[in-house]
Amino acid sequence: MWFAGPARRVPGVGRPGTLRPGLHLEPGMRVGLFGGSFNPAHEGHAHVAETARRRLKLDKVVWLVSPQNPLKSSHETADLTTRLASARAHAKTRGMVVSDAESRIGSQYTIETVRVLQARYPRVKFVWIMGADSLASFHRWRGWTQLMREIPVAVVSRPWIALKARASPAARRFARFRKPSSQAALLPDMTPPAWVFLGAPFKFQSSTALRERMRRTSS
């Protein structure tokens, strides 16, 4: 069984690439970190990223393509190069950056990635971005309570999951730290824990449905 325990505090995660995450970020920038497998990326991902960029008034949104999500099977995950290309095909609007930073720094969990980037870019204002489907299962992430206390979080609504997400263990546990969506633009300047839930028109694509369609096409 998966145990979503606390993450260890690791001063320098993984390899020497910790100091070379391959991102050009200037002091004072407001930057969203949008992590995922992107297996494959689709319009729903682009919608979440663009909604957060616009509502939070971000300078950049960094799509952090995970080497391997510990909650998902490696047998169903395409190679990193393929998923990076898929993300780049959808991250086309202003301020979008697709990155293999997690592979470079050798982090396995999101909390490790966030800590490394915050240490590497101490004057950048980071926000973690995720779809409502991720919030629904957020309590299964290693170090999820630590993550909520170390970086502001923006959640963007996704089809069929909004009610479940708002009733999730993470949403209930941090309910008193939820800010009204009218304050979304202030989120990058807030001291965590602080999070917002952003409603938005739905994009109905999903990676699971796309993979199933590709399997049917190739069979």
Side-chain angles (χ1 to χ4, degrees):
M1 178 180 292
W2 173 258
F3 174 66
R8 295 179 301 153
R9 287 196 173 273
V10 185
V13 178
R15 304 190 297 275
T18 296
L19 298 178
R20 299 187 299 276
L23 297 172
H24 179 71
L25 304 177
E26 299 290 344
M29 275 188 172
R30 301 156 62 92
V31 177
L33 301 176
F34 182 33
S37 299
F38 304 109
N39 183 43
H42 51 72
E43 289 182 5
H45 292 131
H47 177 63
V48 168
E50 178 59 20
T51 297
R53 187 199 66 78
R54 180 171 46 83
R55 299 279 295 277
L56 275 60
K57 300 188 184 304
L58 301 175
D59 297 299
K60 292 186 178 182
V61 174
V62 180
W63 297 43
L64 293 167
V65 183
S66 171
Q68 175 57 51
N69 186 329
L71 293 176
K72 296 182 179 179
S73 169
S74 60
H75 299 295
E76 294 188 356
T77 303
D79 63 84
L80 181 60
T81 300
T82 299
R83 291 182 288 113
L84 283 166
S86 178
R88 290 189 184 104
H90 289 83
K92 293 181 177 180
T93 57
R94 179 172 63 88
M96 299 296 159
V97 178
V98 175
S99 173
D100 62 349
E102 289 194 314
S103 179
R104 288 171 178 259
I105 66 181
S107 62
Q108 184 178 6
Y109 303 110
T110 295
I111 184 64
E112 296 175 343
T113 303
V114 167
R115 285 173 175 170
V116 168
L117 293 179
Q118 287 177 328
R120 178 66 178 82
Y121 305 99
R123 295 172 62 190
V124 170
K125 299 175 182 180
F126 288 112
V127 175
W128 186 258
I129 298 168
M130 60 181 166
D133 47 341
S134 293
L135 179 63
S137 60
F138 191 50
H139 57 286
R140 299 178 64 206
W141 294 24
R142 180 64 57 87
W144 67 277
T145 59
Q146 295 163 294
L147 186 63
M148 288 289 284
R149 293 187 175 100
E150 294 181 26
I151 186 172
V153 175
V155 181
V156 180
S157 187
R158 291 280 290 141
W160 305 300
I161 199 72
L163 290 177
K164 183 177 179 181
R166 287 196 289 260
S168 67
R172 293 199 307 270
R173 180 159 181 173
F174 287 90
R176 67 190 179 98
F177 300 105
R178 180 180 171 183
K179 308 300 180 182
S181 59
S182 60
Q183 296 183 13
L186 304 176
L187 189 66
D189 297 303
M190 292 182 184
T191 300
W195 65 286
V196 296
F197 191 98
L198 302 176
F202 289 147
K203 295 289 184 179
F204 287 90
Q205 281 193 331
S206 75
S207 295
T208 301
L210 288 173
R211 289 196 301 274
E212 179 60 30
R213 188 184 308 165
M214 287 188 287
R215 276 195 290 267
R216 290 199 302 268
T217 302
S218 61
S219 61

